[in-house]
Amino acid sequence: MDRAQRLEVWERRNGQPLLAAWALFFVAYAVQVLATGLSPGARALWSAVTAVTWSAFALDYLVRLVLSEDRRRFVRSQWLDLLVVAVPLLRPVRLVQLYHGLRQRRDRPRLGLEARVMSYAGLSAVLLGVGAALAVLPDERHAAGASIRTFGDALWWACSTLTTTGYGDVIPVTPRGRVIGVGLMVLGVALVGAVVASFSSWLMRQFREDGETYRAPGGE
């Protein structure tokens, strides 16, 4: 078995376990942010869960790098994976890639193209928004002059930022919060735009098919 085959086997076997590891990482991170009254022992436990699950992402990247035939090309082409290792909360943006890998093992996809894009881009946007709300809250709720004091405030800010609405009633005031905001705006435009564009494409296709159905009986 050559490197390419070993790499394919590794990716096929570890796709779903890594998704489960990310879900556990997300829960552990959320508990540490939201449960402010955790005992030292409980906080240490959840911190360990976070570290172990993050290590799984780093190990997966390193193994895939070692198994790749052209490592420089791997680093250039898989830059998103490296970014996800550095910032695990960004892992939802890889859901579409995960689905593509699973689809290749089936004869045909279960959903239409527009439905797949809307489902996975929409889910990615929701998870990314919740992750951004969790990431921005620890610094913002203790900052002077901050308007983001609770998780509800952070979630409202994330929703308005993702959709590029920007009401301005709640805004980050810390440098870290503003950096997160910039990233959320960039990714939000891409993900929400994909959902809107796919819905528009599906709607136009339905109108076109309906028009062809109505014209067919008259022979026009």
Side-chain angles (χ1 to χ4, degrees):
M1 185 181 296
D2 58 18
R3 283 188 174 183
Q5 291 174 324
R6 291 200 297 269
L7 179 59
E8 181 181 357
V9 171
W10 174 268
E11 291 178 341
R12 184 172 62 249
R13 290 179 177 177
N14 290 280
Q16 293 182 348
L18 283 174
L19 187 60
W22 179 83
L24 186 57
F25 173 91
F26 191 87
V27 170
Y29 185 84
V31 168
Q32 294 176 79
V33 171
L34 300 178
T36 56
L38 284 176
S39 65
R43 186 165 294 277
L45 174 62
W46 286 111
S47 296
V49 172
T50 302
V52 170
T53 49
W54 178 86
S55 299
F57 307 144
L59 177 63
D60 173 68
Y61 182 85
L62 290 175
V63 170
R64 292 166 59 212
L65 177 63
V66 170
L67 293 178
S68 62
E69 296 180 351
D70 188 344
R71 295 176 184 174
R72 290 185 178 180
R73 183 174 180 274
F74 177 86
V75 173
R76 291 194 302 268
S77 62
Q78 303 297 325
W79 61 270
L80 180 58
D81 291 350
L82 183 59
L83 180 61
V84 167
V85 171
V87 188
L89 288 175
L90 292 178
R91 196 166 185 84
V93 301
R94 293 195 68 247
L95 283 177
V96 176
Q97 288 183 331
L98 175 63
Y99 176 79
H100 178 70
L102 294 175
R103 188 186 64 179
Q104 289 180 333
R105 290 183 286 170
R106 298 172 179 163
D107 293 334
R108 68 181 205 177
R110 295 182 179 180
L111 298 175
L113 175 61
E114 294 92 348
R116 294 200 306 273
V117 173
M118 285 189 288
S119 299
Y120 286 88
L123 179 60
S124 297
V126 170
L127 292 175
L128 191 64
V130 176
L134 290 171
V136 80
L137 183 59
D139 290 345
E140 291 294 323
R141 63 185 168 194
H142 299 302
S147 54
I148 300 176
R149 295 292 186 181
T150 65
F151 181 64
D153 295 336
L155 201 57
W156 172 251
W157 164 80
C159 290
S160 61
T161 303
L162 266 174
T163 57
T164 66
T165 303
Y167 290 108
D169 52 345
V170 286
I171 57 172
V173 297
T174 63
R176 183 170 179 266
R178 289 176 176 175
V179 169
I180 294 171
V182 170
L184 189 59
M185 283 186 281
V186 173
L187 294 173
V189 168
L191 291 173
V192 176
V195 174
V196 173
S198 298
F199 178 75
S200 300
S201 176
W202 173 83
L203 199 60
M204 293 300 296
R205 182 164 57 83
Q206 294 301 311
F207 287 150
R208 184 169 56 251
E209 291 175 355
D210 289 345
E212 292 174 354
T213 301
Y214 285 136
R215 287 196 300 269
E220 297 180 4

